[in-house]
Amino acid sequence: MLVLALDTATPASTAALVEVTADGLVGVAERRTVDPRAHGEKLAPEIEGALAEAGVRPGDLGAIVAGLGPGPYTGLRVGLATAASMGQALGIPTYGVCSLDGLGRAAGPGRVLIATDARRREVYFATYLDGVRVLGPDVARPADVAAGIVRAGTATTSRARNRRATEAAALAESEILEAATALAGADAARVAAALARAEADNLIGQATARDDGVDVTGREPVVRESNVHGLVDRAAGEGVLKYGEIFGVPVEEHLLYPPGAALVALAADRIRAAAPSDLLTPLYLRRPDAVEPAGRKPVLT
């Protein structure tokens, strides 16, 4: 089956044709233009060019796969609207995949950070282990990505492991408050409360244990370095290339934008099973800048 892949979640607009067989994929053609302001102008000619290169017509397509982002609103909606309208006109199914997942799959084995430019000095990012996403997608400043990875890596059993320390801290606080209230009244109790909280923090802090840089107590981790060295082996995506000095890990400079074949690979099982079309819902990770007015303002005094 011949499948068209579209992605406009990054500064690049991509149109690719991939043949999906019973046991694999074969790349047929791919066109890409890197221009963050020209998705609307470039995508249709790219589709036309890819079809012409392969010597096929739109009616030969069996399915369409679209990158859902995350990405800027204006560019992302171009690819999704194009995929949805073509699928409806041709009567073929459309499937959505996370655009970062396409890069993560193409990056191959190991621990990989994928980051694309989110503008406003931020990146959209996710982490992968052997091509499978383990964190994200999310949006953050490049310097905050390392802390986000550490927080997400906090063991789910950490609170159980340190339950005794937490209970001891709570008991200590309660006992100090009761004693202070009995001896000197409520005013002194408020003063003692601050001491009790300090004692609680000390007891919990004594139970703090760290494993490979991950805080297993369930408390907020402290990350002194902004780079992700030691948390991932390498990174890919144009966001990583842009902020490479901050991330501090090797960058796969040949892998900056989601490859069409990788996007199709992520949807291959659904394509082979002839699954119903997905609702192509974009991954917008930011709240809209425009907000509905709270109320009407009077114009007459």
Side-chain angles (χ1 to χ4, degrees):
M1 179 188 299
L2 191 63
V3 178
L4 174 66
L6 304 177
D7 189 87
T8 56
T10 69
S13 56
T14 301
L17 292 174
V18 180
E19 184 72 30
V20 178
T21 64
D23 56 358
L25 305 175
V26 178
V28 178
E30 180 167 304
R31 297 293 180 91
R32 175 181 292 124
T33 302
V34 181
D35 187 339
R37 300 179 181 274
H39 293 95
E41 294 81 4
K42 300 297 184 179
L43 186 59
E46 288 169 359
I47 296 172
E48 184 179 13
L51 291 171
E53 181 180 341
V56 297
R57 301 168 60 87
D60 297 321
L61 298 174
I64 298 175
V65 175
L68 300 177
Y73 174 79
T74 303
L76 186 54
R77 65 179 178 175
V78 171
L80 297 183
T82 301
S85 59
M86 286 187 66
Q88 184 176 15
L90 296 172
I92 57 177
T94 56
Y95 305 104
V97 298
C98 174
S99 300
L100 298 181
D101 288 356
L103 282 163
R105 183 182 181 93
R111 302 177 302 170
V112 181
L113 167 68
I114 300 297
T116 58
D117 188 10
R119 304 175 187 175
R120 305 180 188 177
R121 299 181 181 179
E122 293 181 327
V123 292
Y124 298 116
F125 73 95
T127 61
Y128 297 81
L129 178 61
D130 298 334
V132 178
R133 184 179 357 133
V134 295
L135 167 65
D138 205 346
V139 60
R141 295 181 303 171
D144 295 335
V145 170
I149 295 175
V150 172
R151 280 195 299 270
T154 301
T156 58
T157 59
S158 60
R159 288 180 176 82
R161 292 179 183 179
N162 294 276
R163 186 177 301 161
R164 292 182 181 178
T166 304
E167 290 174 351
L171 179 61
E173 181 176 351
S174 175
E175 290 176 345
I176 292 174
L177 286 173
E178 289 179 3
T181 301
L183 293 174
D187 289 339
R190 281 193 293 270
V191 175
L195 298 175
R197 284 191 292 272
E199 176 65 13
D201 285 343
N202 180 56
L203 287 171
I204 295 175
Q206 291 175 8
T208 298
R210 293 185 175 274
D211 181 12
D212 194 25
V214 176
D215 187 346
V216 298
T217 64
R219 304 176 69 190
E220 186 75 7
V222 177
V223 179
R224 291 184 172 86
E225 298 294 337
S226 62
N227 65 47
V228 295
H229 179 72
L231 301 174
V232 296
D233 303 321
R234 51 201 170 84
E238 37 89 31
V240 175
L241 186 63
K242 183 174 182 178
Y243 299 103
E245 293 183 358
I246 295 177
F247 290 121
V249 291
V251 179
E252 303 281 356
E253 296 189 15
H254 67 283
L255 190 57
L256 302 181
Y257 309 106
L263 297 174
V264 173
L266 293 167
D269 289 343
R270 285 174 283 170
I271 293 170
R272 294 189 182 103
S277 289
D278 294 339
L279 181 63
L280 300 181
T281 304
L283 290 171
Y284 296 135
L285 300 185
R286 289 196 185 107
R287 295 181 62 86
D289 293 330
V291 295
E292 186 176 351
R296 295 184 178 181
K297 297 180 179 180
V299 296
L300 300 177
T301 58

